[in-house]
Amino acid sequence: MKEIAVAIVGAGAAGLMLASLLRCQQKPFVLFESQKQVGQKILISGGGRCNILPSRMSLDDFESYSSKKLLQRILFFHPLEYWKRFFEGELGIPLVLEPETGKYFPQSHSAKQLLRRWLEWLNLTAEELYLQHRLTGFRRDSGKYLLDFSGKTMLCERLVLATGGFSYPKTGSDGLGWNLLQQYVPLHPPVPALAPLVSEDPQCFSLSGYSVLVHSQAITAENKLLFESRSPLLFTHFGYSGPAAMDLAYTLKFPGIQHQSKLLGKDREEWKSLLEEYPQNKQILTFLTQYFSKAFSDILLENIELNSQQILSQLRKEQRERLYSHLARFPLSVKKTQGFVRAEVTSGGLDLSEISLNTMEVKTLPRCYVIGELLDCTGRIGGYNFLWAFSTAAVASRGIIYE
């Protein structure tokens, strides 16, 4: 029976980064991947351009059932600049900043080229990478782990689970590792995150392809602000997409959640000032089409039962109030997400209280480490989930190398 020092199961962003950090310290490992190729989700990230890192980060960019204090221990293990230096200096992959979004992309704007260069640097041998090896079970045996790969059994001293969640199952994230881990420790239920939103509002279909900047908000049944972000909202034939919609997807796991948006990121008082400063002998439609398309402006007015030809000076106080409120709290009629088949990540997973924050080792499974998407932390769109994958890999590498 083959015996391995460190078995890393899953060759996505987290698994590849852990392998890279172990390589830097000349620590032996074996990487197992269920697919024919590693890094499948990396290849489709950022529309194939791969927004590998954000340029700024705060704890508010992540959601988790765990406390901010626990998140901080992991996310601030290395500063953002460390990861930029690692890609550019160590891997030789120059990054460029997209100023309008705050995202870092490879200079090539090609996920395929980034992955190829990363693998060239790793220079994995046939003894270090096993493709099309699907973990179907594991158990402890005399302080080590017996791993079952569809009938083939291997033994390892340390096991690292980097299998991802349920999102984009065709890339290999089909929930198998999640289900295996759940046999030993409880996990928060999986929920599609960073996914397009489905609506039954026919107005979405008529606006399909139109995008508008919004300050989107998720409000709980207790009228508390759960989440907010400022980004583009895209209307589609099925509902909503774009960063604003996808960031809201995870909030559907909370009952009674309501979604609304400040159009152009402006609140009621800002819209009031803009309207009052505009020539009052003009039509209301003329005012709105400064900021929005005619089709969207028509729908805005239809929603609040105002005539598009009405002169601003003729608007009654309550009509103006309806307009301000609608522009500052534009409702999003959301039924559900498009599910894991279109979700970029999985929300839920292993609670951070179940692991050692110094090593990423599961407290009840000695020498078993969990990194990446299997953990209960989800970042917003823009490279934050890559950052989480890299940060958890870094903490795990310290546990494997020094403990």
Side-chain angles (χ1 to χ4, degrees):
M1 183 187 304
K2 186 176 179 64
E3 187 166 340
I4 300 163
V6 179
I8 306 171
V9 183
L16 286 174
M17 181 54 73
L18 177 56
S20 300
L21 296 172
L22 295 180
R23 173 75 87 222
C24 288
Q25 298 297 321
Q26 299 181 331
K27 182 76 174 179
F29 63 86
V30 176
L31 196 56
F32 295 92
E33 170 57 47
S34 65
Q35 303 296 293
K36 294 179 180 179
Q37 184 180 358
V38 306
Q40 292 282 344
K41 284 178 73 173
I42 295 174
L43 292 174
I44 61 176
S45 67
R49 295 169 57 214
C50 190
N51 51 291
I52 194 69
L53 287 172
S55 60
R56 52 190 177 272
M57 181 269 288
S58 77
L59 294 177
D60 290 336
D61 294 315
F62 300 85
E63 71 88 13
S64 172
Y65 286 109
S66 301
S67 70
K68 298 287 188 185
K69 185 177 180 181
L70 298 185
L71 291 176
Q72 184 175 5
R73 289 275 302 276
I74 297 170
L75 286 164
F76 288 84
F77 183 76
H78 286 310
L80 258 175
E81 185 59 30
Y82 170 89
W83 295 112
K84 185 172 181 289
R85 288 199 310 268
F86 185 85
F87 275 93
E88 295 188 320
E90 189 68 49
L91 302 185
I93 302 173
L95 304 180
V96 293
L97 177 65
E98 188 176 74
E100 61 271 25
T101 63
K103 301 174 183 177
Y104 275 112
F105 292 85
Q107 192 176 63
S108 64
H109 287 277
S110 169
K112 187 179 293 186
Q113 289 189 34
L114 178 144
L115 183 58
R116 181 168 63 241
R117 173 63 193 130
W118 194 348
L119 293 176
E120 286 173 355
W121 179 90
L122 258 177
N123 193 26
L124 296 165
T125 68
E127 291 299 308
E128 291 177 321
L129 175 62
Y130 286 77
L131 296 173
Q132 295 181 279
H133 273 62
R134 181 178 172 82
L135 182 67
T136 54
F138 70 89
R139 61 183 176 86
R140 280 182 60 76
D141 182 55
S142 302
K144 299 181 180 180
Y145 285 94
L146 281 171
L147 311 180
D148 183 26
F149 293 97
S150 301
K152 182 188 296 184
T153 303
M154 297 189 188
L155 188 66
C156 69
E157 294 180 10
R158 299 176 188 266
L159 170 63
V160 183
L161 295 175
T163 57
F166 293 81
S167 55
Y168 283 134
K170 288 184 179 179
T171 65
S173 296
D174 58 4
L176 179 63
W178 189 292
N179 293 330
L180 291 176
L181 180 60
Q182 198 166 229
Q183 296 175 15
Y184 295 94
V185 286
L187 305 182
H188 292 293
V191 175
L194 300 191
L197 305 177
V198 176
S199 174
E200 293 180 339
D201 186 346
Q203 292 180 344
C204 291
F205 183 83
S206 62
L207 290 169
S208 183
Y210 182 65
S211 178
V212 60
L213 178 68
V214 299
H215 184 132
S216 57
Q217 297 177 315
I219 311 295
T220 67
E222 296 76 31
N223 203 34
K224 293 182 180 179
L225 179 64
L226 176 67
F227 175 84
E228 60 182 339
S229 72
R230 183 185 174 95
S231 52
L233 175 73
L234 175 66
F235 293 89
T236 71
H237 64 283
F238 57 78
Y240 312 100
S241 190
M246 297 178 75
D247 277 337
L248 288 173
Y250 88 91
T251 66
L252 268 68
K253 66 186 177 183
F254 298 101
I257 202 78
Q258 297 293 318
H259 300 100
Q260 62 187 32
S261 292
K262 298 177 184 178
L263 297 178
L264 302 186
K266 301 183 186 301
D267 61 22
R268 179 194 173 282
E269 292 304 313
E270 289 174 297
W271 280 115
K272 181 181 179 181
S273 296
L274 289 171
L275 185 68
E276 290 177 346
E277 292 167 3
Y278 193 72
Q280 298 298 292
N281 62 346
K282 300 290 186 180
Q283 294 178 348
I284 189 171
L285 181 63
T286 307
F287 168 74
L288 289 176
T289 51
Q290 295 179 100
Y291 307 102
F292 312 111
S293 71
K294 182 179 182 302
F296 188 52
S297 298
D298 284 338
I299 283 176
L300 288 173
L301 294 172
E302 178 186 329
N303 288 346
I304 54 176
E305 300 178 338
L306 288 182
N307 189 323
S308 64
Q309 306 306 311
Q310 194 163 355
I311 302 301
L312 291 176
S313 62
Q314 299 173 355
L315 286 174
R316 299 189 305 274
K317 181 179 179 180
E318 64 88 11
Q319 290 177 316
R320 288 173 178 263
E321 289 297 329
R322 286 211 310 269
L323 179 60
Y324 303 149
S325 295
H326 199 54
L327 292 170
R329 293 197 296 272
F330 181 76
L332 301 181
S333 176
V334 179
K335 181 182 180 182
K336 60 182 181 180
T337 72
Q338 284 198 317
F340 288 115
V341 71
R342 293 289 305 278
E344 293 190 6
V345 293
T346 303
S347 176
L350 182 63
D351 197 277
L352 300 185
S353 64
E354 298 283 348
I355 62 169
S356 164
L357 298 180
N358 293 320
T359 63
M360 307 309 294
E361 187 177 9
V362 181
K363 292 177 180 178
T364 55
L365 292 172
R367 295 192 168 188
C368 176
Y369 309 79
V370 176
I371 59 177
E373 198 175 337
L374 268 176
L375 293 162
D376 173 41
C377 178
T378 304
R380 66 175 72 213
I381 202 166
Y384 293 97
N385 290 291
F386 277 139
L387 178 60
W388 175 252
F390 303 154
S391 298
T392 57
V395 177
S397 71
R398 177 178 66 177
I400 291 170
I401 294 167
Y402 297 112
E403 300 219 352

